[in-house]
């Protein structure tokens, strides 16, 4: 009898900060470690995506075409967003605007029906709850399949930085673990349903 290897689901992480060592990028890396045995996890590089401009929409700039293909190949998208002035960052909004546009007459919004989860860490007391609420409004409008519970908001990030300046989640780790397990199951169930 042939040994049938079970394929892993693919999750693409989108971090709302472009900073190389941002706290939300570090949070995404920890999430990736948690699910590495069950999912292929990749952080989307989109620093080269230009500002949305209909004058350059067709044909799509190479960076836009590349990120669209990454999303099309994913079974799920996990957002990690900071909160800037009670909102998610402009670079994330710009990326989503590009992803929301129809690819062609035959192919629409690449985010439609894609399972999504949201996490975030911030320096302030509110975590990233307000930014996440705004993000849920947007991605729900784009017909993503949002896992609304559990969501993860981690406040007071400076208390979670170790001596080397790296993120150490401490008491927040079990909450990330709970969300990671829930999202893998959420994505896997939808992948099974769509086969």
């Amino acid at each position: 009898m042939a040994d049938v290897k079970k394929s892993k689901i693919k999750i693409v992480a989108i971090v709302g900060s472009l900073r190389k060592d941002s706290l939300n990028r570090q949070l995404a890396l920890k999430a990736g470690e948690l699910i590495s045995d069950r999912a292929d996890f990749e952080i989307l590089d989109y620093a080269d995506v230009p500002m949305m401009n209909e004058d350059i929409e067709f044909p799509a700039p190479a960076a836009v075409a590349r990120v669209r293909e990454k999303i099309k190949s994913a079974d799920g998208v996990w957002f990690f967003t900071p909160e800037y002035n009670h909102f998610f960052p402009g670079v994330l909004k710009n990326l989503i605007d590009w992803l929301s546009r129809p690819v062609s007459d035959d192919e629409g919004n690449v985010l439609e029906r894609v399972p999504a989860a949201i996490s975030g860490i911030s320096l302030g007391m509110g975590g990233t709850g307000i930014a996440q609420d705004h993000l849920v409004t947007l991605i729900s409008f784009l017909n993503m399949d949002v896992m609304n519970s559990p969501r993860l908001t981690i406040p007071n990030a400076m208390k979670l930085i170790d001596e080397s300046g790296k993120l150490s989640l401490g008491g927040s780790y079990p909450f990330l673990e709970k969300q990671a397990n829930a999202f893998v199951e959420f994505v896997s169930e939808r992948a099974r349903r769509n086969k």
Side-chain angles (χ1 to χ4, degrees):
M1 187 175 198
D3 180 29
V4 179
K5 211 172 178 183
K6 186 179 172 191
S7 62
K8 293 181 178 180
I9 58 171
K10 181 175 180 183
I11 294 176
V12 170
I14 297 179
V15 179
S17 170
L18 298 179
R19 188 168 66 86
K20 185 180 63 166
D21 291 321
S22 78
L23 293 172
N24 281 279
R25 182 179 179 81
Q26 291 183 57
L27 182 62
L29 290 169
K30 289 188 179 298
E33 290 169 8
L34 274 169
I35 63 173
S36 63
D37 60 329
R38 296 164 285 163
D40 291 325
F41 184 89
E42 176 183 1
I43 296 178
L44 185 69
D45 178 7
Y46 65 97
D48 56 344
V49 170
M51 291 301 292
M52 177 60 201
N53 179 347
E54 290 182 20
D55 289 341
I56 61 169
E57 186 173 5
F58 298 108
V64 172
R66 177 181 50 78
V67 296
R68 281 178 174 159
E69 288 303 314
K70 292 284 187 183
I71 299 302
K72 284 163 62 175
S73 72
D75 295 301
V77 172
W78 194 342
F79 293 94
F80 296 83
T81 185
E83 184 169 301
Y84 298 165
N85 299 319
H86 281 189
F87 220 86
F88 56 87
V91 292
L92 179 53
K93 174 64 164 61
N94 182 62
L95 174 67
I96 293 171
D97 285 344
W98 273 112
L99 294 173
S100 74
R101 301 293 288 176
V103 175
S104 67
D105 290 339
D106 302 321
E107 193 174 3
N109 160 16
V110 298
L111 296 172
E112 189 164 359
R113 292 187 297 278
V114 176
I118 305 175
S119 301
I121 185 169
S122 72
L123 301 176
M125 295 274 298
T128 58
I130 297 172
Q132 289 190 29
D133 287 344
H134 289 304
L135 184 55
V136 166
T137 298
L138 174 57
I139 64 177
S140 295
F141 172 73
L142 297 174
N143 206 24
M144 292 192 83
D145 188 1
V146 183
M147 185 184 80
N148 279 305
S149 179
R151 279 175 28 203
L152 181 64
T153 60
I154 302 175
N156 301 318
M158 290 313 293
K159 295 180 180 177
L160 302 173
I161 306 297
D162 65 21
E163 295 121 12
S164 66
K166 296 296 181 189
L167 181 63
S168 173
L169 287 173
S172 294
Y173 187 83
F175 297 101
L176 177 62
E177 187 173 35
K178 180 180 178 182
Q179 188 187 35
N181 291 337
F183 192 48
V184 167
E185 182 54 37
F186 187 81
V187 173
S188 298
E189 179 198 339
R190 279 144 184 82
R192 286 191 297 268
R193 190 189 303 164
N194 294 331
K195 277 188 176 175

